[in-house]
């Protein structure tokens, strides 16, 4: 069955993927006058990378909403890479009541997704409406920025620098136009990259 789904972050990471000292060294900035702006740019660049490579970067919670459970005993595929745990699954049943699926009924693994443990099928959902009826709450990303692959950090630094040095304000001195960032993203979206 073809699934329609959406991803929403439900909590923010507790820190930065690239520290202020790293971004200041990269941009050759000293002092603290621009710390708030730089923090915002690092956060925005991290979110952009997450969306571009479809992987959680720093540990945060997410919700995947979809119209139905998969057919029969098929697994629920989580459409965010670097998922580490599924905390709950709620759904709208055939009586239009919201239910929470017992955690004993399913299990999660990175390779298989969320699988139903029992011999039957996933529960029945309300089929009268076309709205989302299944909500998978999960955690994705690493808990320690020091554990991030260096290519992630480099992509975030490059995108932060591109946003910081707006070519319109720098007399067109920034001629890269994001090409280096895009090349890194292409490498990171390969299935063979960790």
């Amino acid at each position: 069955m073809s699934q329609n789904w959406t991803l929403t972050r439900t909590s923010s990471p507790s820190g930065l993927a690239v520290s202020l000292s790293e971004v200041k060294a990269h941009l050759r900035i000293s002092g603290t006058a621009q710390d708030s702006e730089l923090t915002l740019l690092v956060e925005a660049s991290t979110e952009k990378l997450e969306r571009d490579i479809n992987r959680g970067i720093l540990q945060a919670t997410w919700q995947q909403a979809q119209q139905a459970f998969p057919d029969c005993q098929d697994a629920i595929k989580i459409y965010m890479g670097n998922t580490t745990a599924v905390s709950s699954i709620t759904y709208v049943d055939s009586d239009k009541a919201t239910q929470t699926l017992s955690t004993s009924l399913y299990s999660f693994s990175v390779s298989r997704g969320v699988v139903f443990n029992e011999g039957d099928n996933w529960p029945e959902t309300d089929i009268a409406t076309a709205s989302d009826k299944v909500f998978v709450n999960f955690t994705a990303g690493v808990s320690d920025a020091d554990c991030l692959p260096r290519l992630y950090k480099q992509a975030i630094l490059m995108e932060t620098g591109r946003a910081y040095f707006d070519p319109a304000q720098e007399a067109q001195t920034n001629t890269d136009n994001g090409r280096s960032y895009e090349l890194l993203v292409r490498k990171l979206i390969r299935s063979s990259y960790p």
Side-chain angles (χ1 to χ4, degrees), residues 82-87 108 137-140:
N82 293 345
T83 297
T84 57
V86 172
S87 58
F108 167 75
N137 299 292
F138 63 95
T139 302

Side-chain angles (χ1 to χ4, degrees), residues 4-103:
N4 293 323
W5 51 269
T6 57
L7 288 171
T8 305
R9 189 192 337 241
T10 56
S11 76
S12 295
S14 61
L16 295 174
V18 175
S19 70
L20 278 176
S21 60
E22 289 172 314
V23 78
K24 285 178 181 181
H26 178 72
L27 298 175
R28 295 174 180 83
I29 295 172
S30 59
T32 60
Q34 299 180 68
D35 283 4
S36 294
E37 177 188 358
L38 292 173
T39 297
L40 181 62
L41 290 175
V42 168
E43 290 170 342
S45 298
T46 303
E47 289 175 13
K48 182 177 185 332
L49 182 62
E50 279 181 330
R51 297 301 179 163
D52 287 346
I53 66 174
N54 205 36
R55 289 188 189 140
I57 303 292
L58 282 182
Q59 190 172 73
T61 56
W62 295 79
Q63 183 179 80
Q64 178 173 298
Q66 54 193 57
Q67 292 181 343
F69 283 110
D71 292 333
C72 302
Q73 292 179 337
D74 291 347
I76 298 173
K77 180 179 178 189
I78 303 293
Y79 292 96
M80 173 63 73
N82 293 345
T83 297
T84 57
V86 172
S87 58
S88 68
I89 299 174
T90 59
Y91 65 99
V92 179
D93 70 14
S94 54
D95 294 327
K96 299 183 181 174
T98 300
Q99 305 288 338
T100 300
L101 195 62
S102 170
T103 56

Side-chain angles (χ1 to χ4, degrees), residues 127-185:
I127 58 171
T129 60
S131 62
D132 290 330
K133 294 176 256 344
V134 176
F135 305 91
V136 181
N137 299 292
F138 63 95
T139 302
V142 300
S143 59
D144 183 356
D146 289 337
C147 296
L148 282 176
R150 296 308 176 233
L151 279 181
Y152 284 24
K153 286 184 172 268
Q154 185 62 33
I156 292 165
L157 286 170
M158 291 173 81
E159 189 58 21
T160 300
R162 190 165 75 92
Y164 181 78
F165 292 111
D166 180 1
Q169 298 174 12
E170 296 295 321
Q172 302 297 327
T173 58
N174 183 0
T175 57
D176 182 62
N177 244 1
R179 287 188 297 269
S180 296
Y181 170 82
E182 293 297 329
L183 288 171
L184 278 178
V185 166

Side-chain angles (χ1 to χ4, degrees), residues 73 116-121:
Q73 292 179 337
F116 199 63
N117 292 337
E118 299 298 312
D120 294 328
N121 299 328

